[in-house]
Amino acid sequence: MPLTPLDIHNKEFGRRLRGYDEDEVNEFLDQVIKDYESLIRENKELQNQILALQEKLNHFANIEDTLSKTIIVAQEAADEVRNNAKKEAQLIIKEAEKNADRIINDSLAKSRKVSLEVEELKKQASIYRARFRTLVEAQLELLTQDGWDSLEASSVAAAEQLHR
């Protein structure tokens, strides 16, 4: 157990003949007591400072841990947002490609349909022209036949009889 200032103060030495000067020893012991008390006080203050600094160190260590965890969480969140954005962009691209394919296929189908309709109209026009040509040729043939001359003569005679 360490000495206390009281232990030093209460210490009594045995007496001998031709021993040390008692006043000088007491004076020295008083000085030792004062220095010892000062050292004990200083030691207490330093221990208190150590405790306060340790508390601050712990506090800052907690802040550091919290900041580290926050940075990690923020990084993970940023990574997740980036990954989600990539996935969403890929989905948008796939959807756009599907729509583009659909539009192209629809356009090709409409183009084929219009092409078939044009071909059908060309066929119908060709048939119409052929029929019309046949009709016109038949009418021309009727006009060039001899029967018209006799019909014309009989119609002129009938007209003359009407006028008389």
Side-chain angles (χ1 to χ4, degrees):
M1 182 170 213
L3 286 176
T4 65
L6 192 57
D7 291 338
I8 295 171
H9 180 69
N10 291 334
K11 176 67 176 163
E12 301 241 352
F13 295 96
R15 299 185 191 266
R16 287 193 178 173
L17 189 62
R18 296 184 75 207
Y20 293 110
D21 180 5
E22 192 177 323
D23 289 337
E24 199 176 310
V25 169
N26 284 338
E27 221 175 273
F28 179 76
L29 286 176
D30 286 343
Q31 183 63 41
V32 168
I33 289 171
K34 285 181 190 174
D35 290 349
Y36 195 69
E37 284 178 343
S38 173
L39 287 174
I40 289 174
R41 254 190 320 263
E42 186 178 332
N43 190 21
K44 272 279 197 221
E45 288 174 7
L46 289 174
Q47 286 177 352
N48 289 338
Q49 285 179 358
I50 287 173
L51 287 175
L53 290 174
Q54 188 64 43
E55 285 178 15
K56 284 184 181 180
L57 182 62
N58 290 341
H59 175 71
F60 288 126
N62 286 339
I63 290 174
E64 181 184 15
D65 287 345
T66 302
L67 288 175
S68 293
K69 289 176 184 175
T70 302
I71 289 171
I72 290 170
V73 168
Q75 183 65 42
E76 288 172 353
D79 289 344
E80 186 175 336
V81 167
R82 187 179 317 115
N83 290 338
N84 287 342
K86 283 181 183 178
K87 287 177 184 176
E88 190 172 335
Q90 289 172 348
L91 289 175
I92 289 171
I93 289 170
K94 284 182 182 178
E95 187 66 28
E97 287 173 349
K98 283 181 187 177
N99 286 339
D101 287 344
R102 184 184 47 79
I103 289 169
I104 289 171
N105 289 337
D106 288 350
S107 297
L108 287 173
K110 286 179 183 177
S111 173
R112 285 187 202 112
K113 184 178 177 183
V114 167
S115 180
L116 290 174
E117 287 175 359
V118 166
E119 288 299 317
E120 183 63 28
L121 287 173
K122 284 181 182 178
K123 285 179 188 176
Q124 288 177 3
S126 178
I127 291 170
Y128 177 75
R129 282 178 41 198
R131 286 182 182 170
F132 190 67
R133 182 179 298 129
T134 305
L135 178 65
V136 169
E137 287 174 354
Q139 294 299 319
L140 279 174
E141 191 177 314
L142 281 175
L143 287 174
T144 58
Q145 284 182 356
D146 291 335
W148 280 101
D149 291 335
S150 66
L151 184 61
E152 196 174 297
S154 65
S155 23
V156 170
E160 285 177 1
Q161 280 183 353
L162 283 175
H163 282 18
R164 288 191 217 172

